[in-house]
mmCIF file of all heavy atoms in Angstrom:
data_model
loop_
_atom_site.group_PDB
_atom_site.id
_atom_site.type_symbol
_atom_site.label_atom_id
_atom_site.label_comp_id
_atom_site.label_asym_id
_atom_site.label_seq_id
_atom_site.Cartn_x
_atom_site.Cartn_y
_atom_site.Cartn_z
ATOM 1 N N SER L 35 -9.533 55.661 -3.698
ATOM 2 C CA SER L 35 -8.636 56.197 -2.679
ATOM 3 C C SER L 35 -8.149 55.263 -1.593
ATOM 4 O O SER L 35 -7.207 55.501 -0.964
ATOM 5 C CB SER L 35 -9.365 57.420 -1.953
ATOM 6 O OG SER L 35 -10.448 56.911 -1.154
ATOM 7 N N GLY L 36 -8.832 54.106 -1.385
ATOM 8 C CA GLY L 36 -8.507 53.231 -0.260
ATOM 9 C C GLY L 36 -9.248 53.689 1.023
ATOM 10 O O GLY L 36 -9.186 52.942 2.027
ATOM 11 N N ASP L 37 -9.921 54.811 0.973
ATOM 12 C CA ASP L 37 -10.753 55.168 2.123
ATOM 13 C C ASP L 37 -12.072 54.494 1.993
ATOM 14 O O ASP L 37 -12.907 54.876 1.161
ATOM 15 C CB ASP L 37 -10.923 56.753 2.067
ATOM 16 C CG ASP L 37 -11.848 57.240 3.233
ATOM 17 O OD1 ASP L 37 -12.589 56.437 3.834
ATOM 18 O OD2 ASP L 37 -11.724 58.444 3.508
ATOM 19 N N HIS L 38 -12.211 53.451 2.733
ATOM 20 C CA HIS L 38 -13.362 52.498 2.561
ATOM 21 C C HIS L 38 -14.685 53.203 2.863
ATOM 22 O O HIS L 38 -15.726 52.917 2.139
ATOM 23 C CB HIS L 38 -13.246 51.286 3.443
ATOM 24 C CG HIS L 38 -11.990 50.493 3.019
ATOM 25 N ND1 HIS L 38 -11.883 49.828 1.777
ATOM 26 C CD2 HIS L 38 -10.826 50.272 3.639
ATOM 27 C CE1 HIS L 38 -10.781 49.189 1.726
ATOM 28 N NE2 HIS L 38 -10.103 49.446 2.866
ATOM 29 N N ARG L 39 -14.740 54.090 3.781
ATOM 30 C CA ARG L 39 -15.976 54.769 4.088
ATOM 31 C C ARG L 39 -16.390 55.683 2.921
ATOM 32 O O ARG L 39 -17.577 55.732 2.522
ATOM 33 C CB ARG L 39 -15.837 55.626 5.372
ATOM 34 C CG ARG L 39 -17.090 56.292 5.825
ATOM 35 C CD ARG L 39 -16.947 57.002 7.098
ATOM 36 N NE ARG L 39 -18.192 57.535 7.523
ATOM 37 C CZ ARG L 39 -18.414 58.114 8.636
ATOM 38 N NH1 ARG L 39 -17.479 58.158 9.542
ATOM 39 N NH2 ARG L 39 -19.570 58.648 8.911
ATOM 40 N N THR L 40 -15.400 56.424 2.369
ATOM 41 C CA THR L 40 -15.725 57.335 1.254
ATOM 42 C C THR L 40 -16.158 56.530 0.031
ATOM 43 O O THR L 40 -17.167 56.773 -0.529
ATOM 44 C CB THR L 40 -14.477 58.126 0.841
ATOM 45 O OG1 THR L 40 -14.148 58.938 2.038
ATOM 46 C CG2 THR L 40 -14.762 59.037 -0.327
ATOM 47 N N ALA L 41 -15.416 55.428 -0.205
ATOM 48 C CA ALA L 41 -15.797 54.537 -1.375
ATOM 49 C C ALA L 41 -17.128 53.936 -1.216
ATOM 50 O O ALA L 41 -17.935 53.869 -2.124
ATOM 51 C CB ALA L 41 -14.747 53.478 -1.553
ATOM 52 N N PHE L 42 -17.473 53.517 -0.010
ATOM 53 C CA PHE L 42 -18.739 52.912 0.331
ATOM 54 C C PHE L 42 -19.877 53.911 0.080
ATOM 55 O O PHE L 42 -20.874 53.637 -0.534
ATOM 56 C CB PHE L 42 -18.748 52.292 1.702
ATOM 57 C CG PHE L 42 -20.119 51.757 2.073
ATOM 58 C CD1 PHE L 42 -20.454 50.453 1.632
ATOM 59 C CD2 PHE L 42 -20.979 52.453 2.863
ATOM 60 C CE1 PHE L 42 -21.647 49.873 1.969
ATOM 61 C CE2 PHE L 42 -22.232 51.901 3.200
ATOM 62 C CZ PHE L 42 -22.563 50.581 2.780
ATOM 63 N N ASN L 43 -19.664 55.105 0.737
ATOM 64 C CA ASN L 43 -20.743 56.107 0.689
ATOM 65 C C ASN L 43 -20.969 56.639 -0.791
ATOM 66 O O ASN L 43 -22.085 56.692 -1.294
ATOM 67 C CB ASN L 43 -20.421 57.265 1.553
ATOM 68 C CG ASN L 43 -20.601 56.886 3.017
ATOM 69 O OD1 ASN L 43 -21.305 55.966 3.382
ATOM 70 N ND2 ASN L 43 -19.912 57.673 3.883
ATOM 71 N N LEU L 44 -19.879 56.890 -1.533
ATOM 72 C CA LEU L 44 -19.967 57.356 -2.876
ATOM 73 C C LEU L 44 -20.520 56.236 -3.767
ATOM 74 O O LEU L 44 -21.390 56.497 -4.628
ATOM 75 C CB LEU L 44 -18.683 57.913 -3.378
ATOM 76 C CG LEU L 44 -18.648 58.444 -4.823
ATOM 77 C CD1 LEU L 44 -19.746 59.593 -4.989
ATOM 78 C CD2 LEU L 44 -17.291 58.861 -5.221
#
Side-chain angles (χ1 to χ4, degrees):
S35 69
D37 180 339
H38 297 293
R39 184 175 183 175
T40 298
F42 178 80
N43 289 338
L44 182 56

